[in-house]
Every structure is written in C-alpha cells, then in structure tokens.
C-alpha cells in the first residue's frame, strides 16, 4: 500500500508561482511512477504532468508545458510540481497519483491517490 500526501497549495495572483509537494510513504517511492492531475469545480479530472520512477522521462499537458516543471527526490520520497506564470484557469484541486506499473496520462491507470491540495489563482 502507498500513502500520498500533497502540500504547497494556496492562493496566488496571476503570474505568480507555487511549488507543490507529494510525499510518499508505505512503499519506496523510487519504484513508483508519479503524476499530477487537477480537477476544477464542475470539470473532469485532467492530466497535468508525470515523471517516471527513474526521473529520466517526464510528460506534460500542453496547457502547462513551459510553465510547470515536475521533479523528484527519491531520497526524500517526494515529487514536486513547480508552477510558474500561473493563470486563473490553473485554479483547481491538484492531486498526486502513483503507480508501480503505469506511466500514463490516464487517471484510471493510477491506483494510489493523495487527498488533493487547492490551488487558487486570482486575476
């Protein structure tokens, strides 16, 4: 079993930055492929970014490419999402997800999820 705890959300003005963290426990995170998804009010959960267990491969949604950066520190069992140049449309609950097998843009491929952290970007 894997437990994921997100942190770092908050309220920021458009153009600002936030860094989200996702701490994994219960199983060595170095063997986990990790991803970030987000869900805005009234919308479906959507893919944001993913990083393979080795850190050698990353993926981004087109809407965040060039603004967000995913990284991981396996020694700390933590994955990060650095979010720069934030826009009001980035407002959502951000979820961390993990899988020992899948490295995917599909939320259904990740069996482990955190509780989410709210990111609100004001205009």
């Amino acid at each position: 079993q894997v437990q994921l705890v997100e942190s770092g959300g908050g309220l920021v003005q458009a153009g600002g930055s936030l860094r989200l963290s996702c701490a994994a426990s219960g199983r060595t995170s170095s063997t986990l492929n990790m991803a970030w998804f987000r869900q805005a009010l009234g919308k479906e959960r959507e893919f944001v970014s993913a990083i393979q267990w080795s850190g050698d491969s990353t993926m981004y949604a087109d809407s965040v490419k060039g603004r967000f950066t995913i990284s991981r520190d396996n020694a700390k069992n933590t994955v990060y999402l650095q979010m720069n140049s934030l826009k009001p449309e980035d407002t959502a609950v951000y979820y961390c997800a993990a899988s020992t097998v899948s490295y995917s843009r599909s939320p259904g491929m990740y069996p482990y999820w955190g509780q989410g952290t709210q990111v609100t970007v004001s205009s």
Side-chain angles (χ1 to χ4, degrees):
Q1 193 71 7
V2 174
Q3 293 80 43
L4 303 173
V5 178
E6 303 98 331
S7 61
L11 173 65
V12 64
Q13 288 188 333
S17 298
L18 283 174
R19 188 177 80 156
L20 304 183
S21 299
C22 174
S25 62
R27 186 166 186 163
T28 305
S29 71
S30 61
T31 63
L32 295 170
N33 299 315
M34 306 289 289
W36 289 96
F37 291 82
R38 66 187 182 186
Q39 188 166 16
L41 196 62
K43 295 187 177 181
E44 293 187 354
R45 192 166 298 191
E46 66 173 359
F47 172 78
V48 176
S49 182
I51 186 167
Q52 212 167 20
W53 67 271
S54 64
D56 290 342
S57 178
T58 58
M59 298 188 289
Y60 295 93
D62 287 344
S63 59
V64 307
K65 200 172 294 183
R67 299 188 298 123
F68 291 9
T69 303
I70 192 170
S71 62
R72 66 190 300 157
D73 184 341
N74 287 343
K76 296 182 178 180
N77 294 337
T78 301
V79 172
Y80 305 98
L81 185 68
Q82 178 67 43
M83 306 186 295
N84 298 329
S85 302
L86 283 161
K87 305 175 181 180
E89 50 264 44
D90 294 318
T91 295
V93 177
Y94 283 70
Y95 296 91
C96 177
S99 173
T100 59
V101 176
S102 300
Y103 175 57
S104 171
R105 296 171 181 262
S106 173
M109 300 302 288
Y110 293 88
Y112 306 112
W113 289 83
Q115 82 289 348
T117 185
Q118 176 72 46
V119 171
T120 303
V121 184
S122 63
S123 57

